């Protein structure tokens, strides 16, 4: 289900800042995606922004919900266990069909050694099935847990969930983005892309939730926040 119509750099060699990678993908979309389709996605984003979903999402100072989710290998991963080892970086993504999610995950994969070196762990959470997460991790050589959040149960606790509008659902169906198949359920709900840093007590110390799915926080910014919030033992 990955969008293969856009040329992409190898995740092992593309060391550009994430903003440059995403900008390139936006430019390719503007060049190759029909204008009427672009207008549909722009309308959906605008309406989503007007709902204020991002403003209602978990924010700095909140205590994050705990969770237990299966990774791409079917192994249960617990946020409590991860926080017992150090801080936790979480990215909520839409799925392997989204080229912007793929670009972000490739960039986070490259930053993973530095995240671990800062005494933190990284996980990504999406509504896609375990099998789809396995395909994504295998294709992009991802070395961190891709957690399957069935029916967006955890994303809902973070205040990130929305229902794809009918007019955008029709576009996705025509593009063979079959969310009921990818996610294993028929709600057509997705999380807005979001990234959090939790301290060892589960308190949010960094939050980025954005209905503009083409924009994601830079890994370098996350690493800087980890350094700024380094625990003093």
């Amino acid at each position: 289900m990955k969008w293969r119509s856009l040329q992409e750099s190898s995740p092992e060699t593309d060391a550009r800042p994430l903003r440059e990678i995403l900008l390139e993908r936006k430019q390719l979309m503007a060049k190759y995606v029909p204008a009427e389709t672009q207008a549909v996605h722009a309308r959906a984003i605008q309406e989503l922004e007007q709902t204020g979903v991002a403003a209602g999402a978990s924010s700095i100072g909140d205590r994050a919900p705990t969770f237990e989710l299966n990774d791409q290998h079917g192994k249960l991963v617990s946020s409590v266990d991860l926080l017992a080892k150090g801080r936790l970086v979480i990215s909520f993504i839409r799925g392997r069909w989204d080229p912007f999610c793929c670009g972000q995950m490739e960039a986070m994969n490259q930053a993973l050694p530095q995240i671990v070196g800062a005494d933190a762990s990284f996980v990504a959470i999406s509504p896609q099935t375990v099998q789809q997460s396995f395909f994504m991790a295998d294709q992009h050589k991802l070395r961190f847990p891709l957690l399957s959040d069935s029916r967006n149960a955890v994303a809902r606790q973070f205040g990130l969930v929305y229902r794809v509008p009918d007019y955008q659902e029709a576009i996705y169906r025509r593009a063979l983005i079959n969310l009921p198949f990818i996610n294993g359920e028929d709600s057509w709900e997705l999380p807005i892309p979001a990234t959090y840093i939790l301290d060892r007590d589960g308190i949010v110390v960094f939050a980025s939730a954005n209905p503009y799915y083409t924009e994601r926080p830079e890994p370098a910014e996350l690493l800087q926040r980890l350094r700024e919030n380094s625990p003093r033992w």
Side-chain angles (χ1 to χ4, degrees), residues 42-89:
R43 173 189 170 188
I45 291 173
Q46 184 178 36
E47 291 180 354
L48 185 57
E49 184 181 37
Q50 290 170 352
T51 68
V53 61
S58 295
S59 57
I60 292 174
D62 291 346
R63 182 174 296 277
T66 60
F67 56 82
E68 288 186 333
L69 298 171
N70 287 316
D71 69 7
Q72 63 267 36
H73 304 293
K75 177 184 176 182
L76 196 63
V77 175
S78 164
S79 62
V80 173
D81 290 345
L82 292 174
L83 288 170
K85 302 174 184 177
R87 293 166 296 169
L88 179 59
V89 183

mmCIF file of all heavy atoms in Angstrom, residues 42-89:
data_model
loop_
_atom_site.group_PDB
_atom_site.id
_atom_site.type_symbol
_atom_site.label_atom_id
_atom_site.label_comp_id
_atom_site.label_asym_id
_atom_site.label_seq_id
_atom_site.Cartn_x
_atom_site.Cartn_y
_atom_site.Cartn_z
ATOM 1 N N ALA A 42 -6.623 19.729 0.516
ATOM 2 C CA ALA A 42 -6.491 21.036 1.161
ATOM 3 C C ALA A 42 -7.763 21.388 1.931
ATOM 4 O O ALA A 42 -7.704 21.923 3.049
ATOM 5 C CB ALA A 42 -6.181 22.104 0.117
ATOM 6 N N ARG A 43 -8.922 21.079 1.339
ATOM 7 C CA ARG A 43 -10.197 21.340 2.025
ATOM 8 C C ARG A 43 -10.295 20.518 3.299
ATOM 9 O O ARG A 43 -10.706 21.041 4.350
ATOM 10 C CB ARG A 43 -11.360 21.014 1.088
ATOM 11 C CG ARG A 43 -12.725 21.097 1.750
ATOM 12 C CD ARG A 43 -13.809 20.555 0.816
ATOM 13 N NE ARG A 43 -15.070 20.406 1.521
ATOM 14 C CZ ARG A 43 -16.153 19.816 1.011
ATOM 15 N NH1 ARG A 43 -16.110 19.302 -0.217
ATOM 16 N NH2 ARG A 43 -17.263 19.713 1.723
ATOM 17 N N ALA A 44 -9.897 19.245 3.234
ATOM 18 C CA ALA A 44 -9.982 18.372 4.408
ATOM 19 C C ALA A 44 -9.085 18.889 5.533
ATOM 20 O O ALA A 44 -9.487 18.887 6.707
ATOM 21 C CB ALA A 44 -9.604 16.948 4.029
ATOM 22 N N ILE A 45 -7.887 19.335 5.189
ATOM 23 C CA ILE A 45 -6.967 19.863 6.201
ATOM 24 C C ILE A 45 -7.533 21.125 6.823
ATOM 25 O O ILE A 45 -7.509 21.305 8.051
ATOM 26 C CB ILE A 45 -5.585 20.137 5.579
ATOM 27 C CG1 ILE A 45 -4.892 18.824 5.214
ATOM 28 C CG2 ILE A 45 -4.714 20.935 6.556
ATOM 29 C CD1 ILE A 45 -3.603 19.017 4.434
ATOM 30 N N GLN A 46 -8.052 22.006 5.997
ATOM 31 C CA GLN A 46 -8.610 23.264 6.499
ATOM 32 C C GLN A 46 -9.773 23.004 7.459
ATOM 33 O O GLN A 46 -9.863 23.605 8.527
ATOM 34 C CB GLN A 46 -9.060 24.143 5.344
ATOM 35 C CG GLN A 46 -9.576 25.512 5.787
ATOM 36 C CD GLN A 46 -9.976 26.373 4.618
ATOM 37 O OE1 GLN A 46 -10.504 25.886 3.623
ATOM 38 N NE2 GLN A 46 -9.723 27.668 4.721
ATOM 39 N N GLU A 47 -10.656 22.093 7.078
ATOM 40 C CA GLU A 47 -11.797 21.785 7.936
ATOM 41 C C GLU A 47 -11.337 21.115 9.233
ATOM 42 O O GLU A 47 -11.899 21.378 10.302
ATOM 43 C CB GLU A 47 -12.785 20.893 7.191
ATOM 44 C CG GLU A 47 -13.491 21.616 6.048
ATOM 45 C CD GLU A 47 -14.468 20.731 5.306
ATOM 46 O OE1 GLU A 47 -14.531 19.514 5.606
ATOM 47 O OE2 GLU A 47 -15.178 21.239 4.423
ATOM 48 N N LEU A 48 -10.314 20.270 9.129
ATOM 49 C CA LEU A 48 -9.789 19.616 10.321
ATOM 50 C C LEU A 48 -9.172 20.637 11.267
ATOM 51 O O LEU A 48 -9.351 20.570 12.492
ATOM 52 C CB LEU A 48 -8.760 18.560 9.918
ATOM 53 C CG LEU A 48 -8.184 17.673 11.025
ATOM 54 C CD1 LEU A 48 -9.293 16.944 11.770
ATOM 55 C CD2 LEU A 48 -7.196 16.677 10.428
ATOM 56 N N GLU A 49 -8.469 21.602 10.714
ATOM 57 C CA GLU A 49 -7.894 22.654 11.546
ATOM 58 C C GLU A 49 -8.992 23.445 12.243
ATOM 59 O O GLU A 49 -8.865 23.819 13.419
ATOM 60 C CB GLU A 49 -7.022 23.579 10.695
ATOM 61 C CG GLU A 49 -6.316 24.647 11.516
ATOM 62 C CD GLU A 49 -5.469 25.576 10.657
ATOM 63 O OE1 GLU A 49 -5.893 25.885 9.536
ATOM 64 O OE2 GLU A 49 -4.402 26.000 11.126
ATOM 65 N N GLN A 50 -10.073 23.695 11.537
ATOM 66 C CA GLN A 50 -11.177 24.475 12.112
ATOM 67 C C GLN A 50 -11.869 23.752 13.258
ATOM 68 O O GLN A 50 -12.471 24.391 14.121
ATOM 69 C CB GLN A 50 -12.186 24.824 11.013
ATOM 70 C CG GLN A 50 -11.662 25.837 10.008
ATOM 71 C CD GLN A 50 -12.569 26.007 8.794
ATOM 72 O OE1 GLN A 50 -13.530 25.258 8.608
ATOM 73 N NE2 GLN A 50 -12.274 27.008 7.974
ATOM 74 N N THR A 51 -11.796 22.417 13.279
ATOM 75 C CA THR A 51 -12.404 21.671 14.382
ATOM 76 C C THR A 51 -11.645 21.864 15.684
ATOM 77 O O THR A 51 -12.177 21.589 16.765
ATOM 78 C CB THR A 51 -12.460 20.168 14.072
ATOM 79 O OG1 THR A 51 -11.120 19.633 14.040
ATOM 80 C CG2 THR A 51 -13.174 19.894 12.763
ATOM 81 N N GLY A 52 -10.378 22.307 15.608
ATOM 82 C CA GLY A 52 -9.571 22.509 16.801
ATOM 83 C C GLY A 52 -9.054 21.236 17.422
ATOM 84 O O GLY A 52 -8.680 21.211 18.603
ATOM 85 N N VAL A 53 -8.974 20.154 16.628
ATOM 86 C CA VAL A 53 -8.534 18.875 17.190
ATOM 87 C C VAL A 53 -7.125 18.973 17.760
ATOM 88 O O VAL A 53 -6.837 18.401 18.829
ATOM 89 C CB VAL A 53 -8.627 17.748 16.135
ATOM 90 C CG1 VAL A 53 -7.741 18.031 14.936
ATOM 91 C CG2 VAL A 53 -8.268 16.394 16.751
ATOM 92 N N ALA A 54 -6.239 19.711 17.098
ATOM 93 C CA ALA A 54 -4.869 19.816 17.597
ATOM 94 C C ALA A 54 -4.825 20.535 18.940
ATOM 95 O O ALA A 54 -4.041 20.176 19.830
ATOM 96 C CB ALA A 54 -3.988 20.532 16.573
ATOM 97 N N ALA A 55 -5.665 21.548 19.097
ATOM 98 C CA ALA A 55 -5.692 22.301 20.348
ATOM 99 C C ALA A 55 -6.179 21.443 21.509
ATOM 100 O O ALA A 55 -5.824 21.689 22.666
ATOM 101 C CB ALA A 55 -6.585 23.534 20.196
ATOM 102 N N GLY A 56 -6.989 20.421 21.211
ATOM 103 C CA GLY A 56 -7.499 19.558 22.259
ATOM 104 C C GLY A 56 -6.640 18.345 22.539
ATOM 105 O O GLY A 56 -6.981 17.532 23.409
ATOM 106 N N ALA A 57 -5.537 18.195 21.802
ATOM 107 C CA ALA A 57 -4.662 17.034 21.990
ATOM 108 C C ALA A 57 -3.810 17.196 23.248
ATOM 109 O O ALA A 57 -3.673 18.294 23.799
ATOM 110 C CB ALA A 57 -3.765 16.865 20.767
ATOM 111 N N SER A 58 -3.224 16.104 23.702
ATOM 112 C CA SER A 58 -2.326 16.150 24.862
ATOM 113 C C SER A 58 -1.233 17.189 24.619
ATOM 114 O O SER A 58 -0.732 17.345 23.501
ATOM 115 C CB SER A 58 -1.690 14.779 25.091
ATOM 116 O OG SER A 58 -2.665 13.823 25.450
ATOM 117 N N SER A 59 -0.869 17.902 25.670
ATOM 118 C CA SER A 59 0.088 18.997 25.523
ATOM 119 C C SER A 59 1.097 18.969 26.662
ATOM 120 O O SER A 59 1.015 18.129 27.585
ATOM 121 C CB SER A 59 -0.644 20.341 25.491
ATOM 122 O OG SER A 59 -1.419 20.518 26.658
ATOM 123 N N ILE A 60 2.064 19.875 26.601
ATOM 124 C CA ILE A 60 3.139 19.923 27.593
ATOM 125 C C ILE A 60 2.560 20.079 28.997
ATOM 126 O O ILE A 60 1.678 20.904 29.232
ATOM 127 C CB ILE A 60 4.108 21.075 27.261
ATOM 128 C CG1 ILE A 60 4.867 20.771 25.973
ATOM 129 C CG2 ILE A 60 5.095 21.307 28.411
ATOM 130 C CD1 ILE A 60 5.747 21.909 25.486
ATOM 131 N N GLY A 61 3.049 19.252 29.889
ATOM 132 C CA GLY A 61 2.589 19.265 31.270
ATOM 133 C C GLY A 61 1.549 18.208 31.577
ATOM 134 O O GLY A 61 1.307 17.896 32.755
ATOM 135 N N ASP A 62 0.923 17.645 30.539
ATOM 136 C CA ASP A 62 -0.059 16.578 30.747
ATOM 137 C C ASP A 62 0.647 15.270 31.111
ATOM 138 O O ASP A 62 1.781 15.031 30.690
ATOM 139 C CB ASP A 62 -0.896 16.349 29.490
ATOM 140 C CG ASP A 62 -1.836 17.490 29.180
ATOM 141 O OD1 ASP A 62 -2.053 18.344 30.070
ATOM 142 O OD2 ASP A 62 -2.360 17.537 28.052
ATOM 143 N N ARG A 63 -0.053 14.425 31.842
ATOM 144 C CA ARG A 63 0.424 13.060 32.057
ATOM 145 C C ARG A 63 -0.092 12.204 30.909
ATOM 146 O O ARG A 63 -1.303 12.143 30.670
ATOM 147 C CB ARG A 63 -0.041 12.494 33.391
ATOM 148 C CG ARG A 63 0.495 11.083 33.661
ATOM 149 C CD ARG A 63 0.127 10.600 35.055
ATOM 150 N NE ARG A 63 0.749 11.438 36.081
ATOM 151 C CZ ARG A 63 2.000 11.288 36.507
ATOM 152 N NH1 ARG A 63 2.774 10.331 35.974
ATOM 153 N NH2 ARG A 63 2.489 12.079 37.433
ATOM 154 N N ALA A 64 0.794 11.570 30.190
ATOM 155 C CA ALA A 64 0.402 10.779 29.027
ATOM 156 C C ALA A 64 -0.294 9.495 29.449
ATOM 157 O O ALA A 64 0.064 8.896 30.475
ATOM 158 C CB ALA A 64 1.624 10.446 28.174
ATOM 159 N N PRO A 65 -1.267 9.038 28.681
ATOM 160 C CA PRO A 65 -1.877 7.741 28.962
ATOM 161 C C PRO A 65 -0.838 6.624 28.828
ATOM 162 O O PRO A 65 0.075 6.713 28.007
ATOM 163 C CB PRO A 65 -2.947 7.613 27.870
ATOM 164 C CG PRO A 65 -3.165 8.997 27.345
ATOM 165 C CD PRO A 65 -1.854 9.704 27.511
ATOM 166 N N THR A 66 -0.978 5.596 29.615
ATOM 167 C CA THR A 66 -0.128 4.412 29.457
ATOM 168 C C THR A 66 -0.740 3.504 28.398
ATOM 169 O O THR A 66 -1.937 3.595 28.095
ATOM 170 C CB THR A 66 0.023 3.646 30.781
ATOM 171 O OG1 THR A 66 -1.266 3.218 31.219
ATOM 172 C CG2 THR A 66 0.648 4.541 31.839
ATOM 173 N N PHE A 67 0.076 2.635 27.820
ATOM 174 C CA PHE A 67 -0.444 1.748 26.781
ATOM 175 C C PHE A 67 0.380 0.477 26.693
ATOM 176 O O PHE A 67 1.543 0.429 27.101
ATOM 177 C CB PHE A 67 -0.470 2.449 25.422
ATOM 178 C CG PHE A 67 0.858 3.009 24.968
ATOM 179 C CD1 PHE A 67 1.815 2.200 24.354
ATOM 180 C CD2 PHE A 67 1.156 4.353 25.152
ATOM 181 C CE1 PHE A 67 3.035 2.712 23.936
ATOM 182 C CE2 PHE A 67 2.377 4.881 24.736
ATOM 183 C CZ PHE A 67 3.316 4.052 24.120
ATOM 184 N N GLU A 68 -0.245 -0.553 26.150
ATOM 185 C CA GLU A 68 0.389 -1.807 25.771
ATOM 186 C C GLU A 68 -0.107 -2.151 24.374
ATOM 187 O O GLU A 68 -1.311 -2.367 24.180
ATOM 188 C CB GLU A 68 0.044 -2.940 26.737
ATOM 189 C CG GLU A 68 0.706 -2.828 28.104
ATOM 190 C CD GLU A 68 0.439 -4.041 28.971
ATOM 191 O OE1 GLU A 68 -0.609 -4.688 28.766
ATOM 192 O OE2 GLU A 68 1.280 -4.349 29.837
ATOM 193 N N LEU A 69 0.800 -2.191 23.410
ATOM 194 C CA LEU A 69 0.434 -2.432 22.018
ATOM 195 C C LEU A 69 1.410 -3.426 21.401
ATOM 196 O O LEU A 69 2.573 -3.515 21.820
ATOM 197 C CB LEU A 69 0.461 -1.127 21.212
ATOM 198 C CG LEU A 69 -0.514 -0.026 21.633
ATOM 199 C CD1 LEU A 69 -0.206 1.262 20.876
ATOM 200 C CD2 LEU A 69 -1.958 -0.449 21.409
ATOM 201 N N ASN A 70 0.959 -4.131 20.391
ATOM 202 C CA ASN A 70 1.822 -5.080 19.679
ATOM 203 C C ASN A 70 2.672 -4.362 18.639
ATOM 204 O O ASN A 70 2.181 -3.483 17.916
ATOM 205 C CB ASN A 70 0.976 -6.149 18.991
ATOM 206 C CG ASN A 70 0.377 -7.132 19.971
ATOM 207 O OD1 ASN A 70 1.054 -7.590 20.893
ATOM 208 N ND2 ASN A 70 -0.893 -7.461 19.798
ATOM 209 N N ASP A 71 3.950 -4.769 18.566
ATOM 210 C CA ASP A 71 4.831 -4.207 17.553
ATOM 211 C C ASP A 71 4.715 -4.986 16.248
ATOM 212 O O ASP A 71 3.839 -5.853 16.102
ATOM 213 C CB ASP A 71 6.283 -4.142 18.050
ATOM 214 C CG ASP A 71 6.933 -5.515 18.211
ATOM 215 O OD1 ASP A 71 6.330 -6.541 17.812
ATOM 216 O OD2 ASP A 71 8.064 -5.562 18.724
ATOM 217 N N GLN A 72 5.589 -4.703 15.297
ATOM 218 C CA GLN A 72 5.522 -5.313 13.966
ATOM 219 C C GLN A 72 5.789 -6.817 13.983
ATOM 220 O O GLN A 72 5.533 -7.495 12.989
ATOM 221 C CB GLN A 72 6.485 -4.616 13.001
ATOM 222 C CG GLN A 72 7.957 -4.717 13.357
ATOM 223 C CD GLN A 72 8.448 -3.555 14.185
ATOM 224 O OE1 GLN A 72 7.725 -3.027 15.033
ATOM 225 N NE2 GLN A 72 9.676 -3.114 13.911
ATOM 226 N N HIS A 73 6.290 -7.330 15.108
ATOM 227 C CA HIS A 73 6.539 -8.768 15.242
ATOM 228 C C HIS A 73 5.489 -9.452 16.126
ATOM 229 O O HIS A 73 5.620 -10.634 16.435
ATOM 230 C CB HIS A 73 7.930 -9.003 15.820
ATOM 231 C CG HIS A 73 9.023 -8.355 15.032
ATOM 232 N ND1 HIS A 73 9.361 -8.749 13.750
ATOM 233 C CD2 HIS A 73 9.846 -7.308 15.333
ATOM 234 C CE1 HIS A 73 10.343 -7.995 13.300
ATOM 235 N NE2 HIS A 73 10.657 -7.115 14.227
ATOM 236 N N GLY A 74 4.480 -8.689 16.530
ATOM 237 C CA GLY A 74 3.456 -9.246 17.399
ATOM 238 C C GLY A 74 3.844 -9.266 18.862
ATOM 239 O O GLY A 74 3.134 -9.827 19.693
ATOM 240 N N LYS A 75 4.958 -8.627 19.211
ATOM 241 C CA LYS A 75 5.416 -8.573 20.600
ATOM 242 C C LYS A 75 4.742 -7.414 21.318
ATOM 243 O O LYS A 75 4.666 -6.305 20.797
ATOM 244 C CB LYS A 75 6.934 -8.395 20.638
ATOM 245 C CG LYS A 75 7.507 -8.250 22.048
ATOM 246 C CD LYS A 75 9.004 -7.967 22.000
ATOM 247 C CE LYS A 75 9.570 -7.719 23.376
ATOM 248 N NZ LYS A 75 11.019 -7.387 23.345
ATOM 249 N N LEU A 76 4.266 -7.670 22.529
ATOM 250 C CA LEU A 76 3.602 -6.640 23.317
ATOM 251 C C LEU A 76 4.640 -5.673 23.886
ATOM 252 O O LEU A 76 5.620 -6.083 24.513
ATOM 253 C CB LEU A 76 2.802 -7.276 24.451
ATOM 254 C CG LEU A 76 1.757 -6.398 25.141
ATOM 255 C CD1 LEU A 76 0.667 -5.992 24.149
ATOM 256 C CD2 LEU A 76 1.135 -7.135 26.323
ATOM 257 N N VAL A 77 4.421 -4.385 23.640
ATOM 258 C CA VAL A 77 5.321 -3.333 24.111
ATOM 259 C C VAL A 77 4.551 -2.449 25.084
ATOM 260 O O VAL A 77 3.461 -1.974 24.781
ATOM 261 C CB VAL A 77 5.856 -2.492 22.935
ATOM 262 C CG1 VAL A 77 6.687 -1.312 23.446
ATOM 263 C CG2 VAL A 77 6.685 -3.365 21.994
ATOM 264 N N SER A 78 5.118 -2.223 26.252
ATOM 265 C CA SER A 78 4.471 -1.452 27.312
ATOM 266 C C SER A 78 5.175 -0.111 27.504
ATOM 267 O O SER A 78 6.408 -0.054 27.636
ATOM 268 C CB SER A 78 4.507 -2.241 28.622
ATOM 269 O OG SER A 78 4.223 -1.418 29.729
ATOM 270 N N SER A 79 4.395 0.966 27.537
ATOM 271 C CA SER A 79 4.985 2.275 27.799
ATOM 272 C C SER A 79 5.558 2.335 29.209
ATOM 273 O O SER A 79 6.568 3.015 29.452
ATOM 274 C CB SER A 79 3.945 3.376 27.595
ATOM 275 O OG SER A 79 2.866 3.240 28.504
ATOM 276 N N VAL A 80 4.949 1.646 30.147
ATOM 277 C CA VAL A 80 5.461 1.627 31.519
ATOM 278 C C VAL A 80 6.854 1.009 31.555
ATOM 279 O O VAL A 80 7.770 1.532 32.211
ATOM 280 C CB VAL A 80 4.499 0.850 32.440
ATOM 281 C CG1 VAL A 80 5.106 0.673 33.834
ATOM 282 C CG2 VAL A 80 3.164 1.578 32.542
ATOM 283 N N ASP A 81 7.029 -0.087 30.822
ATOM 284 C CA ASP A 81 8.342 -0.737 30.779
ATOM 285 C C ASP A 81 9.382 0.165 30.124
ATOM 286 O O ASP A 81 10.531 0.241 30.584
ATOM 287 C CB ASP A 81 8.255 -2.054 30.015
ATOM 288 C CG ASP A 81 7.468 -3.120 30.770
ATOM 289 O OD1 ASP A 81 7.245 -2.943 31.985
ATOM 290 O OD2 ASP A 81 7.066 -4.110 30.127
ATOM 291 N N LEU A 82 9.001 0.840 29.050
ATOM 292 C CA LEU A 82 9.941 1.727 28.365
ATOM 293 C C LEU A 82 10.340 2.902 29.252
ATOM 294 O O LEU A 82 11.518 3.281 29.307
ATOM 295 C CB LEU A 82 9.331 2.230 27.060
ATOM 296 C CG LEU A 82 9.123 1.173 25.970
ATOM 297 C CD1 LEU A 82 8.373 1.775 24.783
ATOM 298 C CD2 LEU A 82 10.455 0.594 25.505
ATOM 299 N N LEU A 83 9.369 3.472 29.962
ATOM 300 C CA LEU A 83 9.666 4.620 30.820
ATOM 301 C C LEU A 83 10.496 4.211 32.037
ATOM 302 O O LEU A 83 11.188 5.058 32.614
ATOM 303 C CB LEU A 83 8.369 5.289 31.262
ATOM 304 C CG LEU A 83 7.641 6.071 30.165
ATOM 305 C CD1 LEU A 83 6.260 6.493 30.635
ATOM 306 C CD2 LEU A 83 8.451 7.295 29.746
ATOM 307 N N ALA A 84 10.448 2.944 32.409
ATOM 308 C CA ALA A 84 11.289 2.473 33.512
ATOM 309 C C ALA A 84 12.764 2.520 33.128
ATOM 310 O O ALA A 84 13.636 2.559 33.999
ATOM 311 C CB ALA A 84 10.886 1.049 33.907
ATOM 312 N N LYS A 85 13.041 2.531 31.811
ATOM 313 C CA LYS A 85 14.419 2.552 31.323
ATOM 314 C C LYS A 85 14.901 3.964 31.007
ATOM 315 O O LYS A 85 16.107 4.201 30.884
ATOM 316 C CB LYS A 85 14.527 1.697 30.066
ATOM 317 C CG LYS A 85 14.105 0.252 30.253
ATOM 318 C CD LYS A 85 14.100 -0.483 28.922
ATOM 319 C CE LYS A 85 13.587 -1.902 29.074
ATOM 320 N NZ LYS A 85 13.516 -2.601 27.763
ATOM 321 N N GLY A 86 13.981 4.916 30.810
ATOM 322 C CA GLY A 86 14.371 6.270 30.431
ATOM 323 C C GLY A 86 13.200 7.005 29.819
ATOM 324 O O GLY A 86 12.040 6.593 29.929
ATOM 325 N N ARG A 87 13.514 8.088 29.138
ATOM 326 C CA ARG A 87 12.457 8.883 28.517
ATOM 327 C C ARG A 87 11.955 8.207 27.243
ATOM 328 O O ARG A 87 12.579 7.267 26.740
ATOM 329 C CB ARG A 87 12.990 10.278 28.228
ATOM 330 C CG ARG A 87 13.279 11.065 29.505
ATOM 331 C CD ARG A 87 14.104 12.275 29.260
ATOM 332 N NE ARG A 87 15.438 11.926 28.762
ATOM 333 C CZ ARG A 87 16.298 12.793 28.261
ATOM 334 N NH1 ARG A 87 15.975 14.072 28.177
ATOM 335 N NH2 ARG A 87 17.476 12.399 27.854
ATOM 336 N N LEU A 88 10.815 8.702 26.756
ATOM 337 C CA LEU A 88 10.165 8.052 25.625
ATOM 338 C C LEU A 88 9.727 9.086 24.599
ATOM 339 O O LEU A 88 9.066 10.072 24.940
ATOM 340 C CB LEU A 88 8.954 7.255 26.110
ATOM 341 C CG LEU A 88 8.120 6.521 25.054
ATOM 342 C CD1 LEU A 88 8.969 5.517 24.287
ATOM 343 C CD2 LEU A 88 6.925 5.835 25.713
ATOM 344 N N VAL A 89 10.111 8.850 23.347
ATOM 345 C CA VAL A 89 9.652 9.659 22.218
ATOM 346 C C VAL A 89 8.613 8.834 21.457
ATOM 347 O O VAL A 89 8.855 7.670 21.138
ATOM 348 C CB VAL A 89 10.829 10.031 21.283
ATOM 349 C CG1 VAL A 89 10.328 10.940 20.155
ATOM 350 C CG2 VAL A 89 11.956 10.694 22.061
#
